[in-house]
Amino acid sequence: MDMVVILSTLDATIRLSTPLLLACLAGMYSERAGVFDIGLEGKMLMAAFAAAATASVTGSVWAGLAAGLGISLMTALLQGAAAITLKGNQLIAGTAINMLAVGLTTFLGIQWFAQGGRTPQLKEGERFTEVKLPFADELANVPVVGPIYSDLISGHNILVYIAFLAVPVTWFVLFRTRFGLRLRAVGENPKAVDTAGISVIAMRYQAVLITGLLCGFAGAFFSIAQGSGFGNNMTAGKGFIALAALIFAKWKPVPAMFTCLLFGFLDALQIRLQGVEVGGVQVPVQAIQALPYVLTVILLAGFIGKAVGPKAGGVAYSKER
Amino acid sequence: MSALKPLPRWADIILLPLINLTLAFIVAGLVVFAIGQNPLAALDAIITGAFGSGYNIGYTLYYSTNFIFTGLAVAVAAHAGLFNIGGNGQAYIAGLGVILVALAMQSLPWWLTFPVAILAGAAVGGFWGFVPGYLQAKRGSHVVITTIMFNFIASAIMIYVVVNLLKPPGILAPESASIAVEGRMPKLGTFIPWFKNTDVNFTLILALICLVGAYFLIWHTRFGFAMRALGQNPTATRYAGMSNSRITMIVMTMSGALAGMVAVNQVFGVQYRLVLDYVADAGFVGIAVALMGRNHPLGILLAALLFGALYQGGNELQYVIPGLSKEMVVVIQALVILFTGAMEGLFRPALQRLFSGGPAAARSGG
């Protein structure tokens, strides 16, 4: 492979990792606080639809983003109400959210736009376009550094930069602030946090809302940044790959980034390898597609390292007894 | 709150699910109303579409057949305290076993092939449930995460196998060869003309047998007791000398085998070939069915009929009221899962207070 091919594959890697990374970090807040979230997919899908629909109707990409974030936050709140206040089963709540998202987005899409569930093609100004970082043009001709800076790092849309900025921010929030300490404590030993006079319920709601916010960015990325409009079920299971990445990264921000880059790279690779023969053998792209899931199963089973989640995860907190 | 008496049995298994179902319908109705359509007209169209004639009922029963299997798969696992969210993958991969048997035996009469196809589907689906069960029992991986991953792995395997191995040359669509006409199982409409040429077939009888079998297994066998005990209190079963890991593995295998019966209905009973994505999320409908049916075979039968009717009625809905698509049914299904599964706490305390003799009794009890 020559330099151009490698660069374009890596460029695609960054683009494909972005929604995974946003969703993965989203899940990290909620799961670190003891609320399992298998509804990342649903919140992204809701956000993707709301963002594209609003951007198309108002003609403003920012209104679209705001709508995506708003809907995702409301969905997270609904999930939180079921899983935190009503002490329902967190996994079932997530399943319901995923299904609700598939049903509602398709149903409303068909109803509102009459294009079989798609929203109208977004025009300029209705979607996020490439951001050129300073000096990208000037540096383009410098060997090695030039192409990497101006092709690989520069020239993505703003949500890509938000996703990668969210990594150090999440690390700082979770591991260097009082809020983060409490959030993690709620996921490990809620009783102790309660005894210290901090509301477990309030902490968990805050975590779930941050999850909703980040899922909103991830969903918007699909429909108003990477794509130009919403299509049926356009998140296509990425929420579950993000969940796999979260487990693979053992609920830590920086490993999460590298895992998402790896899974994004696999995705970019399988797109590039479609119909390509390597050494006379056609590589089955499905094998590469399934790799993130297989790796996660192997890791969970403890064959390569051990992934142990937050101890109080999955259980609603009750004060009594 | 802890002083409240548990609900009477009838309220727990009939009243509460009905309240939650009504709530799901009301919310879905509000959505329909919000977009400017008449919810009652939509409901009428769904009911007519599901039960209007023998033709409609035939299709309703065909959908119900799938949902009985996936509902049972979820319920059997739930009794042992396991959440099998992998019904989709298990039902999908089981199609491999079914189609290989069906194609190999296609020159034989269908009633010889049928039992073998059932066993093959059960074996492959069961295997796809066994592995997550094994990984939970022996390696401590959470069965929910593993089964989610196995859904996607199954999907990747099936695309590869169908497109690269099973697709006969000369056919463009991604599907296997078709079973020879003489080896195909006739549909029920052949014997009962009332059903016309609908997809309901002998697999429905198999589903009913599975319901009865599950009832006896869960409540009238030693193993059923062991699995329910495991679901209630794993520590107790361990002290009683039972092998929790053995029970987990057997239950997950049975659950996967039950989900695999969807493949018998779809591949052997209806399509006579293996196509992609024939499961159509029946595995997820099974979660709603099991929750709604309170994990009891009778409840599952009724809930499967309800969802079968909703799916068939939803298909007809779009022809009766243009603009209302069958996705409405997915919304209703999600709301049922939300209200009966995750938001049970919404009505239960109020009902308990009511049955404990009003607010005063609840206060004095507390």
Side-chain angles (χ1 to χ4, degrees):
Chain A
M1 279 202 251
D2 55 7
M3 190 70 182
V4 179
V5 175
I6 293 173
L7 268 182
S8 82
T9 308
L10 292 180
D11 197 51
T13 300
I14 290 179
R15 229 173 325 113
L16 293 166
S17 315
T18 298
L20 295 182
L21 183 55
L22 284 165
C24 183
L25 293 173
M28 193 176 299
Y29 283 94
S30 169
E31 301 220 342
R32 278 280 186 177
V35 182
F36 280 161
D37 192 355
I38 58 173
L40 298 171
E41 175 87 1
K43 288 193 282 288
M44 287 202 295
L45 197 59
M46 290 275 218
F49 176 72
T54 309
S56 167
V57 170
T58 62
S60 157
V61 62
W62 294 105
L65 179 64
L69 296 178
I71 289 294
S72 182
L73 280 172
M74 278 163 60
T75 314
L77 209 55
L78 177 67
Q79 199 181 348
I84 302 170
T85 305
L86 295 173
K87 302 186 174 67
N89 184 319
Q90 299 173 358
L91 300 166
I92 293 178
T95 308
I97 292 296
N98 289 337
M99 216 174 270
L100 194 64
V102 172
L104 264 188
T105 55
T106 314
F107 178 71
L108 292 178
I110 292 175
Q111 180 69 29
W112 285 343
F113 301 103
Q115 295 183 12
R118 276 177 294 115
T119 60
Q121 178 92 20
L122 294 179
K123 294 183 282 286
E124 201 161 324
E126 295 174 356
R127 58 187 292 262
F128 288 111
T129 45
E130 295 168 359
V131 179
K132 195 172 276 184
L133 295 185
F135 308 114
D137 287 333
E138 290 82 344
L139 283 171
N141 293 322
V142 179
V144 188
V145 181
I148 290 178
Y149 181 74
S150 47
D151 289 347
L152 206 57
I153 298 178
S154 173
H156 292 286
N157 64 67
I158 188 163
L159 295 183
V160 174
Y161 299 111
I162 289 179
F164 282 87
L165 265 179
V167 177
V169 171
T170 298
W171 175 82
F172 185 80
V173 168
L174 284 181
F175 296 98
R176 287 294 179 274
T177 65
R178 185 171 11 187
F179 172 76
L181 180 69
R182 288 175 176 177
L183 187 142
R184 284 181 295 128
V186 160
E188 296 289 340
N189 191 345
K191 192 115 239 170
V193 179
D194 200 11
T195 314
I198 300 154
S199 165
V200 174
I201 306 287
M203 281 309 299
R204 287 193 168 171
Y205 264 109
Q206 288 170 45
V208 163
L209 283 177
I210 298 175
T211 302
L213 190 73
L214 287 170
C215 279
F217 280 112
F221 177 83
F222 281 102
S223 63
I224 60 172
Q226 186 186 37
S228 52
F230 178 83
N232 282 343
N233 208 1
M234 80 181 308
T235 48
K238 290 284 191 286
F240 293 104
I241 296 210
L243 193 65
L246 180 61
I247 296 163
F248 208 83
K250 301 177 184 177
W251 294 268
K252 293 191 181 82
V254 178
M257 182 182 77
F258 287 113
T259 309
C260 288
L261 280 170
L262 170 70
F263 288 178
F265 174 71
L266 290 175
D267 206 3
L269 198 65
Q270 63 94 3
I271 293 169
R272 187 154 284 280
L273 285 181
Q274 242 151 41
V276 174
E277 290 194 348
V278 179
V281 187
Q282 184 153 3
V283 185
V285 289
Q286 290 84 15
I288 303 173
Q289 282 169 345
L291 204 54
Y293 307 112
V294 175
L295 285 175
T296 305
V297 169
I298 295 175
L299 178 84
L300 260 182
F303 293 114
I304 39 165
K306 189 84 194 139
V308 181
K311 282 194 195 63
V315 190
Y317 182 67
S318 299
K319 256 182 194 296
E320 296 113 303
R321 276 176 287 173
Chain B
M1 220 159 95
S2 47
L4 288 177
K5 273 186 284 185
L7 286 177
R9 214 172 126 73
W10 69 271
D12 194 26
I13 58 177
I14 298 170
L15 187 61
L16 202 54
L18 276 185
I19 291 177
N20 288 321
L21 182 70
T22 312
L23 190 62
F25 269 98
I26 289 174
V27 174
L30 287 176
V31 174
V32 173
F33 183 73
I35 58 169
Q37 298 276 11
N38 182 352
L40 290 177
L43 188 63
D44 184 58
I46 289 182
I47 293 174
T48 314
F51 299 112
S53 70
Y55 174 86
N56 303 78
I57 293 177
Y59 271 110
T60 294
L61 291 177
Y62 149 71
Y63 284 113
S64 303
T65 307
N66 284 340
F67 302 155
I68 289 173
F69 290 129
T70 53
L72 275 178
V74 174
V76 166
H79 276 291
L82 300 160
F83 184 30
N84 178 12
I85 196 169
N88 266 4
Q90 291 144 11
Y92 198 10
I93 203 107
L96 273 184
V98 174
I99 194 65
L100 290 179
V101 163
L103 288 176
M105 299 175 71
Q106 58 182 338
S107 53
L108 298 170
W110 67 268
W111 45 267
L112 273 178
T113 318
F114 192 37
V116 186
I118 292 170
L119 289 178
V124 181
F127 173 74
W128 215 243
F130 165 78
V131 179
Y134 165 82
L135 291 174
Q136 160 129 350
K138 301 284 188 188
R139 312 288 314 190
S141 359
H142 202 302
V143 80
V144 170
I145 303 292
T146 319
T147 48
I148 289 177
M149 300 300 139
F150 265 52
N151 282 343
F152 288 99
I153 297 172
S155 175
I157 292 177
M158 291 300 277
I159 294 174
Y160 178 78
V161 170
V162 170
V163 173
N164 295 290
L165 304 178
L166 288 178
K167 188 163 74 79
I171 288 186
L172 283 177
E175 57 187 44
S176 76
S178 293
I179 305 169
V181 178
E182 63 268 26
R184 293 180 187 176
M185 181 163 71
K187 292 176 179 165
L188 285 189
T190 320
F191 308 97
I192 310 168
W194 189 61
F195 282 136
K196 304 221 170 59
N197 56 344
T198 54
D199 285 342
V200 62
N201 61 76
F202 283 107
T203 320
L204 174 65
I205 315 286
L206 175 70
L208 297 177
I209 294 172
C210 285
L211 281 170
V212 177
Y215 172 76
F216 277 100
L217 174 86
I218 296 169
W219 283 284
H220 293 280
T221 65
R222 186 185 281 260
F223 181 78
F225 177 78
M227 62 183 251
R228 281 184 295 131
L230 172 69
Q232 296 288 323
N233 189 341
T235 321
T237 46
R238 203 167 58 242
Y239 277 105
M242 301 175 196
S243 166
N244 287 358
S245 56
R246 189 172 148 268
I247 303 172
T248 302
M249 289 188 285
I250 296 178
V251 167
M252 281 305 291
T253 308
M254 286 196 302
S255 180
L258 282 166
M261 293 303 95
V262 171
V264 177
N265 190 32
Q266 297 286 77
V267 178
F268 192 71
V270 174
Q271 283 150 354
Y272 309 124
R273 62 195 199 285
L274 193 64
V275 298
L276 294 180
D277 291 326
Y278 62 81
V279 178
D281 279 349
F284 286 123
V285 185
I287 298 171
V289 168
L291 284 170
M292 187 73 214
R294 285 274 180 264
N295 295 328
H296 189 287
L298 191 61
I300 289 169
L301 174 66
L302 295 174
L305 282 173
L306 172 76
F307 278 99
L310 281 176
Y311 267 74
Q312 168 52 21
N315 282 340
E316 303 289 324
L317 176 65
Q318 51 202 338
Y319 304 112
V320 182
I321 307 175
L324 280 191
S325 58
K326 60 174 188 242
E327 276 71 22
M328 195 63 235
V329 173
V330 181
V331 174
I332 296 177
Q333 173 189 320
L335 291 169
V336 166
I337 294 183
L338 191 67
F339 291 133
T340 54
M343 288 189 154
E344 244 212 353
L346 206 56
F347 290 112
R348 188 180 282 276
L351 272 184
Q352 281 175 334
R353 222 164 291 142
L354 200 69
F355 280 100
S356 307
R363 251 200 313 278
S364 65

